[in-house]
C-alpha cells in the first residue's frame, strides 16, 4: 500500500504512523514529492486501508496488491476446476445448472428432470446439475417461501433417479448441516453474499459453494466474499453473476454478464451466469446465454418449468419446455464456435512483443 | 393492481387469467381501450405482480396500493413512537445513538460513555442510547470481527453504570436469543437487510429492531423488510438510513439522508440516520447531521471514540471527543430551529385549497 | 395512460382533470375501486405523465403505450436497415466500424486503414466503416482535443483511398454543416445524447446518425433521443451501446451489451456496440465483442492503432495490429454460429402455443 | 501521480516510460517493492492517467494531486464570492434563485415576480434572483420547448421592473451571444454539463455561469467541467447540485444534497442546490431545502408558480404561492441557526491537536 500524507502533517504524526506500520510487520519508506510526500509499505501483512486512514497525517491510501490473496491469479496461480460427481466446472466444457426456481412438488420436479434427461452431453456440454429451491428468500413477507426439508428430499430423490447432482440454496448458517445432508452444491443467494456467518459456516463444509454476486457488490467485494469461504477452509467456490442493481431498467436487473471476462483476468475460480434472474424475461434467456457462452462462461443457471403459468415463484422468467430445447441447441452451437475462436486470442502483452 | 393485456391475447388466455384472479379472492374488471385493454383487480388479497406477470396474456402489471400494508400511512394510520426505557423514538425530540463502532474493551467503552454522560438532555435532545458492536461484519476475512458475548457484557455493564439503554448488532437468527439477553434494541446491518431468516426471528422477540437500509435497497424493499418484522409480530421497527451504493464517489457511500422526507410521507415508523457510515469521513459528520435534523430525522447514529487513531474498526469516521461536543451543540441548535420552522409547513393540498 | 386518483380527491377536482383530458383529445373513463379510483384515457394524443401529475387529484400516472411512436416495434412495424455506400447496417451481416479513436495525422490514419483493407468481407462480415475523431470531447480541459477540420479532411481522403465510408463525431449543432460535408455518418457522443439542439439539427440532414447511449440514459430516454431525430425528419438512426455509469467497477464503464436483446424487442432501429469505450481495456475487447455478436448485435465500433503506446487519446483501449486480426477471426466464427443458432429461437408465446 | 508497474515489465519497457515522463516535464523516481515496483512522478505538468496507462509496463495509475488546479482548495486558496448586481453568492447569506420553470407569458412571469417582491431581505437571506427558462430541454420530442428570445425579453423586462437580476438556461455555444445580451447569469443544464463546446464558449463571456451537475457526473467530473470554464477565462462559476441518476427511487432523482459538504472541502466555488428538480415533488421542497441550508449551501434554486396546475413544464414540482411563503420562513429560521451552530464546528485535525 501507499499512503499519501497531508501537507500539514507534523513529524510527530508521521512517526506515530511509522511505528504503527512497523508493528504490523511492514517497513515504511518515505518518498518526498514537491507538493506532497508519500509512504510506501514494504513487505506483506494484514493491514487494510482503513487501518491507515484513521491516522491524522494520512490523506489517502492506494492499494497496490489484491486483498484476495488465495483466489487471485497474481503470481503463478492457475485457474482451478471443481469436480461434482463427474461434472467438471471450470474446464473446457459448459455445465448447465437447470431446473425449477422452487421445488413445488415431486411431480413438478420429476417432470422437469425428465425433460433434462433427454438433453445431450457432448464435447461442448459437459453435463447437467439439477437446481431447485427449498428455502426461497422473498421480498414480500406474504409470498410462498418454499417447502423446506420436504423440498430438499424431493430434489435429492429426483436427482438420484435421473443421475443428476443437485444444487440448492442455503439461507443461514444454522441450516448448513441440514442442507449439507442432501445437496451436492450449496447455493448462496444474492441477498446473503455478505452474510458473513453463513460464509464462515460454508468455509467449514466439504461440498462446493455456488456464490451469487450481491446486487450492489463490487468486483472486489465479490472476490473477498469468496476469499472468506476459501480462507476458512473450503477451496471449492463457484462465482455466479446474476445481475446488479443500478438505474438501468432494460431488464429486472442490470445484466452484468460481461464481467465474466474481468473475473477471468483476476481469479482462479470458475464463473457461471444466471440469465433467468438477471433478465427476469424468458424471451431474453436464450440470446443473453449465447452471449455469456461466447464470452467464456463456465456454466449457466437456468429456470425451466413444464408450465411456467403455474409456477409458484418467478414464473415470468422460466423457460417453456420447447424453449428449453432451443436453449440447449443454441448454447451448444455457440460453445463450439467459442472453443474454435479462442485459439486466435492474443493479449496486448503478446501483441506488443510481436510488433 | 391493473394488468395491461397484450394485443395478441386470445379470449381463452384472458379467461384463464380471470379464473386465477377470482380464485385469489379478487374480482377482475375488463376495460377495453382503443389500442390495448386493461384489467383492474377489485378487492384485496395477497397477489403480487409476479403472480400475474407469468400469464401469457399479461404485458405489464401496475401496482395501485402499497404492498406494505401494516406500516403504510395510507388510510387513517398515524406515526408511531417507540419507548426504550424512557427514550421516545419518533416523538418531538431527537434521540442520539452514540458510542464506538466496536466494543474493544471495558476501559474504551467506559471512557466513551463517560463523555456521553456529560451531554445535555433538554427540549431538543430526548436522550442517549449507547451503541457498540460485539459482532462486526467485515468485508475482509482478515479483519477484526468483534469480542462476541464478552463485548455484549461490557456494553450492558457500561450502559447500566451510566443509565443508558444499549443497541448492538445481531448478525444471524441463531444469535438472536443471546443478543436479546443483553441488548435493549437489536440492530440489523446493511448487509443483512434482506436476511429473511434473521428478520423473521426478530419478528418474534420483544425488543425493538433498528433496521439499516441495504446498500442497494429501494424504498419499497426497505419498507417490505420492515413490514416482514411487523407482520411476524414485532411492531417496533426503527428505519435507519446509512448511505447507498451508486456511482457517486463524493463519500464512501452515496448519502441518502434526504430520503427521510420520503419515508415520512409513506410510513408510520420512526426514521434515524447514520452520518458516520454514510460518509466515512469525520469532518462531514457534523454538517451532514445538521442537515438530517433540519429535514426532520428522529435520531442519529454516531461513532465516537476517545482516540480514533487507535480504533480497531472504522477509525476514519469516528468523532474525536471535542468534535462530539460540537456535534451535540450543533444538532441542538438546528433541532430548535426545525421545531420552530415546522409550524410554517404547508402541503400542496392545503396550499391549493387556500388559493 | 391510467391515472390513480388520491383518496381525498373532490368531485370538483376530478371534473377539472376530466376537462383537461377532453381538451387534449382523449376520453376519460372513471373506474371506481374499493380503496381507490382510476381514470383511463381513451384515444391518442401528445399528453405526457407530467401533464397529468400536476393536478391536485392525481396520485400516480401509469403509461400504457410507448412514448416513442415512430421507432417502436408496436403495431406492424418491422426492423429497418440503413445502407451506407453498400454496407447494410441492420441486415444479416455484421458491419465493423473501426479505426483510431482520434485522427492524429495522415500517416497514422493511413497506416491503420491499410491494416483494415486486408480484413475479409464475407457471409458474416458485410464490410468496414472507417472511424476516427476530429473533434474529441475530453473531460480534462488540458487534454488533446482533436485536429478539427484538418482531421475531417484526412479521414475523408484515407477513406476514399481504400474505399471505406467514414464515421466521425459531431459535437454541436453549429458544426453539423461542416461535418456533413465530409462524413458518411454523424456520430453523437455519450455526453451529447440529450443535447437537444444537436439532435434537432441532425434531424434535418440527409446522412445517417450513430447515436451513443448517455452514461445515465435509461432505455426509454435512449429511444426518445432517437425518436427526436426521426421525428425531425431523419429516419436513419443507429443506436450504439457503449457502457453506462453505475457503481460497477469491473471495467471503466458498466458494460451494457446485453441491452441489445432488449432494444431488439422494442425498436425498429439497428443496434451496434462499442467494446473499446465500454471496457477501456484492450484485453477485454475480443471476448466481449464475441458476446455482443452472439447476442445479435448489428455492428461493432472498435479502436485500432498501429502503436497504441503512442496514441494521443484512449491508448489503453486500442487494439494492437495483431489483436485486430484476432478480433476479426473471432467475431467471424461467432457470427457464423449465431446465424445458425438463431434458427432454433422460439419466443415464450410460440412455445406456449405449442405446449 | 504514481504508476504501479506490472511484474513482467522489462527494463526496456520501463525506460520507454521514463523517457516519456521526462519529455512531459516530470522526473520519474523508481521505488522497488518486494512484489511490485512503483514509479513516482516528481514535478508538475499536464499528464493525465490515460497518458501513462497506455504503456505496456503500466499496471495502474494513482492520482495524488487534484486535476482541477484552478478551483481546488489545495494550497492557500480561499473560497470566492460572486457579486451579481449586489447579490453576493458564496458569502454569509443565502441567495434564492426563484421563479417559474419556464417563462410562459408576461402575465405569468410578472405575477410570480410580484410574489417574490414581497419576500424579506435580511441577515439570513441576501436577495433573490429571478429564474425562468426560455429554452427548455425536454426528453420527449413532443413537449413544449420554451418561448425562445421572446421568453428572454419577458424575463429581462420583469426582472428590471422588480429590481431582480435574472438567470436563464443557455443550451448551445451558438446561443451564448444571444443569451448574454439579456441574462445576468448563464445556466447550464444537467444534460449539457459535458457539452464542451458550450463550456468553452462560456469561458469567454463576462457573466457568471451556474453549472448544474450531470446526472451521472462524479465529483471530479463536475469539478473538471467547472475548471474548463475557469481555464478558458471566466472565473465566476456557481456549482449547482440537482440530483443524480441511480437506482434510488425515493424521488425522481437521487437527492445529492449532502455533497455540498464534500464540495466545500474541495473547491473555492460557491455551491447551490435545486430541491425542485432533485425531488420532483413539491411537498418535499421545503424540508429538503431546510436540510440543504443546515449543511451550508450558498443558495437555492426553486420553482414557484401562481398556479402549478396550469404550468406548461414541470408542474408537479412547483410550489404554490402559500408554500412559497412557508419556504422563505423556513429557510430563514434554519439559516439563522446554521450561522450560530457553525461557530462550534471543529475539524478532526483541530480536535486531535487539542486532545
Amino acid at each position: 500500500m501507499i499512503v499519501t500524507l497531508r501537507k500539514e502533517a507534523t513529524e510527530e504524526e508521521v512517526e506515530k504512523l511509522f511505528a504503527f506500520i512497523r508493528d504490523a510487520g511492514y517497513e515504511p519508506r518515505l518518498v518526498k514529492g514537491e507538493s506532497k510526500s508519500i509512504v510506501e509499505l514494504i513487505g506483506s501483512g494484514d493491514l487494510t486501508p482503513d487501518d491507515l486512514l484513521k491516522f491524522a497525517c494520512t490523506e489517502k491510501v492506494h492499494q497496490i496488491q489484491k486483498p484476495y490473496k488465495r483466489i487471485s491469479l497474481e503470481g503463478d496461480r492457475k485457474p482451478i476446476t471443481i469436480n461434482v460427481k463427474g461434472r467438471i466446472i471450470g474446464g473446457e466444457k459448459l455445465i448447465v445448472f437447470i431446473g425449477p426456481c422452487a421445488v413445488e412438488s415431486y411431480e413438478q420436479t420429476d417432470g422437469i428432470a425428465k425433460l433434462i434427461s433427454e438433453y445431450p452431453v457432448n464435447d461442448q456440454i459437459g453435463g447437467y446439475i439439477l437446481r431447485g429451491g427449498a428455502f426461497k428468500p422473498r421480498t414480500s413477507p406474504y409470498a410462498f417461501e418454499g417447502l423446506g426439508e420436504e423440498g430438499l428430499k424431493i430434489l435429492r430423490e429426483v436427482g438420484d433417479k435421473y443421475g443428476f447432482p443437485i444444487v440448492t440454496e442455503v439461507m443461514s448458517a444454522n441450516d448448513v448441516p441440514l442442507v449439507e445432508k442432501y445437496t451436492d452444491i450449496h447455493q448462496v443467494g444474492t441477498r446473503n453474499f455478505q452474510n458473513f456467518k453463513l460464509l464462515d459456516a460454508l468455509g467449514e463444509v466439504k461440498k462446493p459453494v455456488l456464490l451469487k454476486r450481491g446486487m450492489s457488490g463490487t468486483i472486489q467485494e465479490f472476490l473477498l466474499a469468496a476469499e472468506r469461504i476459501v480462507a476458512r477452509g473450503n477451496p471449492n467456490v463457484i462465482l455466479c453473476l446474476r445481475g446488479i442493481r443500478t438505474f438501468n431498467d432494460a431488464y429486472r436487473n442490470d445484466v452484468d454478464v460481461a464481467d465474466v471476462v474481468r473475473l477471468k483476468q483476476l481469479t482462479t475460480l470458475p464463473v457461471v451466469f444466471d440469465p433467468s434472474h438477471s433478465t427476469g424475461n424468458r424471451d431474453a434467456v436464450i440470446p443473453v446465454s449465447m452471449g455469456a457462452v461466447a464470452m467464456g462462461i463456465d456454466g449457466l443457471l437456468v429456470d425451466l418449468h413444464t408450465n411456467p403459468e403455474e409456477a409458484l415463484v418467478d414464473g415470468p422468467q422460466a423457460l417453456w419446455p420447447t424453449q428449453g430445447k432451443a436453449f440447449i441447441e443454441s448454447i451448444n452451437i455457440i460453445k463450439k464456435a467459442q472453443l474454435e475462436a479462442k485459439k486466435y486470442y492474443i493479449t496486448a502483452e503478446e501483441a506488443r512483443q510481436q510488433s
Side-chain angles (χ1 to χ4, degrees), chain A residues 73 79 90 94 213 219 222-223 238-244 255-274 278 288-300 335 338 345:
Chain A
L73 269 178
L94 280 174
R213 181 183 192 173
I219 289 293
F222 191 18
L223 290 171
I238 303 155
L239 301 173
C240 181
L241 295 166
R242 51 78 66 208
I244 52 177
V255 180
D256 57 346
V257 59
D259 292 357
V260 61
V261 178
R262 186 75 187 130
L263 288 171
K264 289 279 177 185
Q265 294 174 334
L266 294 173
T267 180
T268 58
L269 302 178
V271 184
V272 303
F273 171 62
D274 180 338
S278 289
V288 171
S289 295
M290 286 163 63
V293 172
M295 290 192 262
I297 205 76
D298 293 310
L300 292 159
K335 182 64 193 173
Q338 187 259 347
Y345 186 72

Side-chain angles (χ1 to χ4, degrees), chain A residues 158-187:
Chain A
V158 174
D160 288 347
K161 176 172 170 191
Y162 293 95
F164 295 133
I166 64 174
V167 57
T168 197
E169 178 161 353
V170 55
M171 281 177 63
S172 77
N174 219 20
D175 292 340
V176 169
L178 173 69
V179 175
E180 174 91 357
K181 257 177 54 190
Y182 294 95
T183 200
D184 295 304
I185 304 176
H186 292 276
Q187 180 175 322

